[in-house]
Amino acid sequence: LRLLGQPASQEIGDEIIKIYVKALMGKGEAEQVAYYTATLPGDDQVTLYAQFLQDIQHLALRKSALDAAEAVNLPVEAITQRVVENIRNEESAERMLPLELSGEVTEEDRRKISALEWVVLYPSQRAEAIWQTNALIRTFLALGKIQAARLAFNQIPPDSVSEVMSQYQVDDETASVYSAFLPAKVNAAIQEYFSHKAYLDAQEGFADWFDDYHHARPSEPPTPGPGATFTERVAHDHRLAAYHKELDRWRAAMEHQTKCVKKQLYNVLFMPDKGWLANSDSDNEDELRTHQMEALRTLCIPKIVLLLHTVLHSTGQYKEAIQLAEIVVDEQRLIYKVYTKQQMGELLSKIRESSLASLTQDKDPWGHPLES
């Protein structure tokens, strides 16, 4: 009737088109869905076409559906953003739950991670992709799903920050102070992105270190019994020599790995500006994001300190382990403010262990050599 110029109620006409579009969705006919969706008001276009895209899983079909949307001038960037948000918010997934940092990746998790692909397809939408990915990572970290958080992080192409910089004409010389050249939301997204990278690197670095420290150390061959023959004793000497060589290699590798994981863990504690996940300034700040970031600081930072203490204490670096107390109470970093009483008690207990271990090495409780 509209094409024929016949008068008809706008609201009734829109409702009829919506019903027809939903019928077309079931057939997967992207071009027709896009064509009729484009005849609706702007908000309905975003809502309806986002609903259509949500169930498309294959990349080729996703690109085809976006091509169909572009052909009829649908607001594709607003639509792809809505798709990601709809899928991420399914079943109250953004609740902050104080669980341990563990957990398998479920099919629901993979669906949310896969949805990020929608906002990665357009380079012009890369800042939004970082923003949306950060939101999903916060959810996964709160649920203790480190692997899922890493999979989500990896959805962002490595050149994304550089791409965003170029879009806002920030060159390499001004990159160190890029916050002054970027919109508040974009700057907040990039700061948070680097915080997540530091944390995930630290968690994975510690997991690798822990596995190698406890499970990769060579085992000393058993000593032959009193009745061993000469041949058996010679064979044992060869095995013992090989063991010592392997042990030296393991120690050298662990020394290097320990330095690397220490750096990764310290990177979280020494994040510039306001600290790890503390830079939350943005034009459209919302209470949920603020709450999530504060909760994650309380959940994650004390864990990182304990992981760092484990590395230092296990490798006999008692003085440095004890000095973690100074880092936590430092008035510039204010790390102690994220601690609960229980967390602080646990840290002090660990530092006490290092202090006692230091005494066994003829050093004072702070790890300094005793004066003779």
Side-chain angles (χ1 to χ4, degrees), residues 238-353:
H238 284 295
R239 288 193 295 269
L240 193 61
Y243 159 73
H244 284 300
K245 287 183 180 180
E246 287 298 316
L247 185 62
D248 288 341
R249 279 195 286 267
W250 176 82
R251 284 172 174 165
M254 286 308 306
E255 182 179 0
H256 174 73
Q257 194 170 1
T258 298
K259 290 180 180 179
C260 291
V261 73
K262 280 173 56 178
K263 182 178 180 181
Q264 290 172 324
L265 292 165
Y266 276 124
N267 282 345
V268 176
L269 302 181
F270 296 160
M271 286 292 292
D273 202 0
K274 299 178 182 179
W276 184 79
L277 221 59
N279 189 332
S280 59
D281 297 331
S282 68
D283 284 334
N284 60 344
E285 186 66 73
D286 58 77
E287 292 184 2
L288 175 60
R289 180 172 183 266
T290 300
H291 169 70
Q292 287 178 327
M293 296 179 80
E294 291 174 352
L296 284 176
R297 281 175 56 79
T298 297
L299 176 68
C300 298
I301 291 179
K303 288 183 179 291
I304 289 294
V305 175
L306 289 179
L307 295 183
L308 182 53
H309 178 272
T310 297
V311 173
L312 296 172
H313 186 88
S314 299
T315 54
Q317 302 177 67
Y318 302 127
K319 179 181 177 181
E320 193 171 346
I322 296 167
Q323 288 174 339
L324 289 176
E326 299 178 13
I327 295 174
V328 170
V329 302
D330 181 77
E331 286 296 335
Q332 288 186 328
R333 298 185 181 90
L334 302 175
I335 294 176
Y336 66 89
K337 288 193 173 183
V338 306
Y339 273 76
T340 64
K341 288 184 178 180
Q342 181 179 352
Q343 290 170 331
M344 187 61 73
E346 186 176 3
L347 174 61
L348 293 176
S349 176
K350 294 295 184 181
I351 291 176
R352 178 178 177 274
E353 292 177 10

Side-chain angles (χ1 to χ4, degrees), residues 33 54 60 79 83 94 141 159 162 172 191 208 267 270 279 299 306 311 336:
V33 171
Q54 282 179 210
I79 290 170
V83 173
E94 290 206 358
L141 291 183
D159 67 341
S162 298
D172 292 338
Q191 294 280 6
D208 291 340
N267 282 345
F270 296 160
N279 189 332
L299 176 68
L306 289 179
V311 173
Y336 66 89

Side-chain angles (χ1 to χ4, degrees), residues 15-240:
E15 289 303 317
I16 293 174
I17 293 174
K18 289 179 186 178
I19 294 172
Y20 183 56
V21 167
K22 290 180 180 179
L24 293 173
M25 287 181 185
K27 299 179 180 180
E29 299 178 0
E31 292 184 359
Q32 292 191 52
V33 171
Y35 175 80
Y36 286 103
T37 300
T39 66
L40 296 169
D43 290 343
D44 289 336
Q45 291 178 5
V46 174
T47 300
L48 206 57
Y49 208 72
Q51 181 181 340
F52 170 60
L53 298 183
Q54 282 179 210
D55 294 324
I56 300 178
Q57 301 300 323
H58 298 292
L59 178 59
L61 294 178
R62 287 178 171 181
K63 289 182 177 180
S64 177
L66 290 177
D67 289 341
E70 289 180 359
V72 292
N73 297 317
L74 287 176
V76 289
E77 292 192 2
I79 290 170
T80 54
Q81 178 181 338
R82 181 72 63 82
V83 173
V84 175
E85 291 174 347
N86 287 349
I87 295 176
R88 189 181 75 241
N89 292 328
E90 288 176 352
E91 299 184 10
S92 302
E94 290 206 358
R95 291 179 300 169
M96 305 299 290
L97 300 177
L99 302 180
E100 291 300 316
L101 292 181
S102 61
E104 297 181 357
V105 182
T106 65
E107 287 303 314
E108 179 186 348
D109 296 334
R110 295 187 185 280
R111 171 173 160 79
K112 297 177 191 298
I113 294 167
S114 175
L116 294 172
E117 193 174 71
W118 288 110
V119 286
V120 173
L121 293 173
Y122 294 101
S124 60
Q125 210 173 2
R126 204 57 61 81
E128 183 63 32
I130 295 174
W131 182 268
Q132 295 293 340
T133 301
N134 288 341
L136 184 57
I137 290 175
R138 290 196 302 272
T139 298
F140 285 146
L141 291 183
L143 296 172
K145 297 189 173 186
I146 298 297
Q147 183 182 358
R150 171 56 77 179
L151 291 174
F153 184 90
N154 289 346
Q155 284 287 82
I156 299 297
D159 67 341
S160 292
V161 173
S162 298
E163 177 68 34
V164 173
M165 297 293 188
S166 65
Q167 291 171 10
Y168 289 94
Q169 299 181 339
V170 179
D171 56 33
D172 292 338
E173 294 181 359
T174 58
S176 60
V177 289
Y178 59 78
S179 59
F181 300 86
L182 298 175
K185 179 180 177 180
V186 175
N187 178 54
I190 292 176
Q191 294 280 6
E192 184 180 348
Y193 171 84
F194 284 129
S195 285
H196 290 315
K197 182 181 187 305
Y199 184 77
L200 293 173
D201 288 347
Q203 280 282 348
E204 292 169 0
F206 176 82
D208 291 340
W209 174 89
F210 187 88
D211 185 65
D212 289 342
Y213 184 82
H214 289 282
H215 303 123
R217 182 184 178 116
S219 299
E220 184 174 357
T223 303
T229 65
F230 174 77
T231 302
E232 290 172 338
R233 290 197 298 270
V234 171
H236 172 262
D237 289 341
H238 284 295
R239 288 193 295 269
L240 193 61

